[in-house]
């Protein structure tokens, strides 16, 4: 089932997500819903907080960007309770966008060589070194689990320049091609 994507300004996007316990009821259905939502929104990754669930779950299908980033070919990952270790390498700046920040993209500097540890939907442990754009996707999605957004990695000057666009998202003035949930209106 396609779920609404929670947009910038919604408090769930700023919470640190809770670990997922083995045997969590409804996990397979939630994962199926997350993949359906990601595909319908034309994303390459989706974290559970983006659908209003403060849980340490990420789904990724990087295959759509394989023409530009060959390391992404055939890479589909279901990450539960992921942990990232930053490895060596220079910081690379690339444009990033986010389903929770529609209509925006900014250059974000990230190291593109990481070690990733996670369990899959059967709670089988995995560990892998990941490089290139796939490492960027993983870091971006895992940031959501820490209550962070890619705009937290840009300069204050850039934030000032996009402030009106961010305010429009919060105010519900941004339209999307996918179902969304806006931030609750604050009472004054």
């Amino acid at each position: 089932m396609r779920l609404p994507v929670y947009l910038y300004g919604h408090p769930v996007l700023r919470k640190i997500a809770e670990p997922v316990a083995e045997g969590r009821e409804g996990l397979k259905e939630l994962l199926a819903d997350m993949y359906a939502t990601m595909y319908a929104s034309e994303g390459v990754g989706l974290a559970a907080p983006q659908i209003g669930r403060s849980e340490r779950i990420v789904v990724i299908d990087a295959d759509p960007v394989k023409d530009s980033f060959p390391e992404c070919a055939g890479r589909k990952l279901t990450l539960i309770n992921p942990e990232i270790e930053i490895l060596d390498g220079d910081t690379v700046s690339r444009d990033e966008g986010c389903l929770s920040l529609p209509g925006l993209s900014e250059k974000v500097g990230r190291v593109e060589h990481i070690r990733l540890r996670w369990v899959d939907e059967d709670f089988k442990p995995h560990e892998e070194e990941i490089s290139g754009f796939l490492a960027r996707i993983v870091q971006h999605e895992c940031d959501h689990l820490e209550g962070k957004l890619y705009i937290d990695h840009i300069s204050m000057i850039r934030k000032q320049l996009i402030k009106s666009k961010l305010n429009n998202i919060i105010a519900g003035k941004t339209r999307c091609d996918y179902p969304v949930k806006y931030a609750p209106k604050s009472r004054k």
Side-chain angles (χ1 to χ4, degrees):
M1 178 173 63
R2 209 165 124 183
L3 303 170
V5 174
Y6 284 53
L7 297 187
Y8 175 76
H10 201 287
V12 72
L13 295 174
R14 292 305 193 173
K15 289 177 65 177
I16 295 177
E18 296 293 324
V20 178
E22 190 167 356
R24 182 215 185 269
E25 199 165 313
L27 180 61
K28 302 266 191 216
E29 294 81 6
L30 175 60
L31 292 171
D33 291 347
M34 287 180 69
Y35 275 107
T37 301
M38 178 183 68
Y39 292 135
S41 308
E42 298 183 8
V44 294
L46 186 72
Q50 292 181 275
I51 55 158
R53 311 295 197 291
S54 189
E55 298 180 75
R56 299 187 80 76
I57 303 170
V58 167
V59 297
I60 293 171
D61 188 344
D63 197 61
V65 296
K66 68 183 174 197
D67 290 343
S68 299
F69 305 102
E71 69 274 17
C72 293
R75 296 308 310 259
K76 186 174 177 180
L77 299 166
T78 300
L79 309 175
I80 298 172
N81 301 328
E83 297 174 7
I84 293 175
E85 177 186 347
I86 302 295
L87 300 176
D88 57 354
D90 295 327
T91 299
V92 177
S93 287
R94 294 191 192 272
D95 279 331
E96 288 189 26
C98 182
L99 296 174
S100 294
L101 291 151
L104 293 176
S105 71
E106 291 291 325
K107 285 210 176 296
V108 176
R110 294 189 192 269
V111 171
E112 292 188 342
H113 187 202
I114 63 171
R115 178 174 290 116
L116 176 65
R117 293 178 191 90
W118 76 99
V119 294
D120 62 23
E121 61 272 13
D122 298 315
F123 280 79
K124 180 181 171 198
H126 298 269
E127 181 174 325
E128 182 181 348
E129 279 191 31
I130 297 174
S131 295
F133 198 72
L134 183 60
R136 175 175 296 275
I137 294 169
V138 169
Q139 289 173 79
H140 174 109
E141 297 307 332
C142 288
D143 270 358
H144 282 294
L145 307 180
E146 301 302 326
K148 295 180 184 172
L149 301 170
Y150 78 85
I151 58 169
D152 297 333
H153 297 285
I154 65 174
S155 71
M156 290 306 292
I157 292 170
R158 287 299 312 155
K159 281 186 192 169
Q160 279 302 117
L161 291 171
I162 63 170
K163 186 175 182 176
S164 65
K165 291 179 180 179
L166 295 173
N167 287 337
N168 283 340
I169 295 171
I170 292 171
K173 295 178 182 175
T174 303
R175 298 292 163 239
C176 297
D177 294 335
Y178 46 90
V180 297
K181 185 156 177 87
Y182 293 98
K185 301 282 187 222
S186 61
R187 294 192 176 116
K188 294 185 178 186

